[in-house]
């Protein structure tokens, strides 16, 4: 109707403006007039964090001694390596429920009240991280994060002692209510953060640890939560919770990270030693990482149809290398260039998606799009982006901008409770981070072209593709398998 009301001159004018806009979009922007940081302005030395390594009751303990404004921060990591395969998908459920169950002689209400009075924060979560140099090796663990006022440390550890040694999973009504609340929360997250779920799903076929990440944080959790809500066996769930508790609430393979003020260390050590001594399990120096040489990356293309989701988010993943590999820094620079100088223009500006980009993490490169009206087109654009990079069509300025952007994120200020996390959670020593930093500075145009051709363009390259959203005929024609999540439940 709107087109019918236009005169021939109006149509001609709109066409001319459209052609002009396309020319502007296709031409490289002139940013020379804008203030910017140059690579030479950035320190080549990594910002190190002073850490003290010690041993408390046989548990490896990392300290970051610093002014903490009267607050003690501590993280406790326990291995989930020996968890039975059938209980593994229930680990996130266990982590979500544990702080809200009873413990010792306390009901869940009494425990919740004491946690609120004595702790500023307590939660549990799944931890999966790849080895720094070995792509077939990864860590599978549970992390407990806590902080409290210095004066409450002794009482906080007494509460933790009950949670770790005498957790209660007998209140079926409370478990059922918590499961329903979690299912509702996950349903909202799927609708609001579809791109994150697409990224997790696309990654599960390119690396073993990414398969676990999807199991713990992706659509499988949403499907499990919905299944439990819609008539799931609470007795079976209780059995899994008790099995997991017996495996992860111990000191068999554990480590502790502490961020506190110097004046609090002695009191903290005394309280922590009492807690660690009472926890069951044999201290061991067994490797905390799992070695899996059997997993082989494979290609897959899935379209997950979500009821009530009218727009789509998609991701393409490609296997690459571990953090310690020389090509990791080159691929990181490449991903930054592709985001800022190709994908934003082609998918965000021309395609109408809310967002698009590329990111590189250990062992995988991810191309993603968010709230995208044309996901099939975006999948083709991802491949065009790889060819564009392989032909070296980027500028030298874009290389410098990419390096500056990455180094800026690496040098961002770190808040007190996160100092030392790079080593505690990811095994990244200052030496490893410095090597990575040196490699970033030395990345050249030829390096970027080489990794684009080496990892993104071979005919036999493995591609994990996932789209979450509405049904799409173009994707089905492109070979995507349709999975109706509503029916899967």
């Amino acid at each position: 109707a709107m087109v019918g009301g236009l005169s021939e001159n109006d149509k001609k004018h709109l066409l001319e403006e459209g052609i002009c806009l396309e020319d502007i979009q296709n031409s490289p922007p002139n940013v020379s007039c804008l203030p910017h940081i140059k690579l030479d302005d950035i320190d080549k030395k990594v910002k190190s964090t002073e850490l003290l390594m010690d041993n408390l009751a046989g548990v490896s303990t990392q300290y970051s001694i610093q002014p903490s404004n009267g607050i003690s921060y501590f993280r406790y990591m326990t291995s989930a390596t020996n968890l039975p395969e059938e209980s593994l998908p229930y680990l996130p459920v266990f982590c979500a429920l544990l702080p809200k169950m009873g413990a010792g002689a306390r009901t869940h209400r009494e425990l919740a009240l004491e946690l609120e009075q004595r702790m500023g924060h307590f939660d549990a979560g799944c931890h999966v991280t790849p080895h720094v140099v070995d792509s077939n090796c990864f860590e599978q663990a549970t992390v407990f994060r806590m902080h409290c006022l210095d004066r409450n440390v002794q009482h906080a550890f007494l509460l933790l002692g009950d949670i770790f040694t005498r957790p209660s999973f007998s209140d079926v009504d409370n478990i059922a209510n918590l499961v329903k609340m979690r299912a509702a929360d996950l349903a909202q997250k799927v609708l609001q953060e579809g791109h994150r779920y697409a990224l997790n799903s696309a990654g599960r076929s390119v690396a073993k640890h990414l398969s676990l990440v999807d199991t713990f944080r992706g659509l499988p959790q949403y499907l499990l939560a919905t299944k439990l809500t819609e008539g799931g066996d609470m007795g079976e769930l209780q059995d899994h919770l008790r099995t997991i508790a017996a495996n992860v609430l111990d000191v068999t393979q554990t480590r502790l990270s502490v961020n506190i003020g110097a004046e609090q260390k002695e009191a903290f050590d005394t309280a922590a030693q009492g807690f660690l001594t009472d926890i069951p399990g044999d201290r061991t120096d067994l490797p905390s990482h799992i070695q899996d040489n059997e997993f082989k990356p494979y290609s897959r293309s899935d379209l997950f149809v979500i009821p009530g989701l009218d727009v789509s988010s998609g991701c393409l993943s490609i296997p690459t290398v571990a953090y310690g590999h020389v090509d990791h820094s080159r691929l990181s620079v490449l991903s930054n260039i592709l985001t800022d100088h190709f994908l934003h223009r082609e998918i965000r500006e021309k395609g109408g998606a809310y967002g698009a980009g590329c990111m590189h993490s250990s062992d995988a490169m991810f191309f993603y799009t968010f709230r995208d009206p044309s996901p099939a087109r975006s999948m083709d654009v991802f491949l065009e982006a790889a060819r564009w990079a392989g032909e070296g069509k980027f500028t030298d300025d874009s290389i410098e901008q990419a390096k500056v952007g990455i180094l800026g994120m690496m040098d961002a200020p770190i808040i007190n409770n996160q100092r030392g996390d790079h080593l505690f959670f990811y095994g990244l020593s200052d030496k490893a981070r410095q090597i990575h930093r040196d490699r970033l500075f030395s990345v050249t145009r030829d390096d970027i072209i080489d990794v684009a051709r080496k990892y993104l363009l071979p005919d036999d390259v493995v591609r994990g593709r996932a789209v979450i959203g509405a049904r799409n005929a173009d994707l089905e024609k492109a070979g995507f398998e349709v999975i109706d999540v509503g029916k899967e439940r």
Side-chain angles (χ1 to χ4, degrees), residues 86-103:
E86 62 272 15
S87 294
L88 203 56
Y90 292 86
L91 183 58
V93 184
F94 171 85
C95 292
L97 267 56
L98 182 65
K100 301 172 184 177
M101 303 303 298

Side-chain angles (χ1 to χ4, degrees), residues 66-94:
Q66 58 186 297
S68 62
N69 201 26
I71 300 175
S72 296
Y73 302 93
F74 41 109
R75 282 86 68 202
Y76 184 61
M77 186 178 295
T78 69
S79 175
T81 300
N82 298 319
L83 201 60
E85 192 74 24
E86 62 272 15
S87 294
L88 203 56
Y90 292 86
L91 183 58
V93 184
F94 171 85

Side-chain angles (χ1 to χ4, degrees), residues 314-318 338 343 357-358 365-369 382 385-386 456:
C315 183
L316 163 67
S317 65
I318 295 173
L338 290 174
L343 295 173
C358 179
M365 178 83 90
F366 296 95
F367 296 81
Y368 62 88
T369 178
F382 293 155
L456 307 184

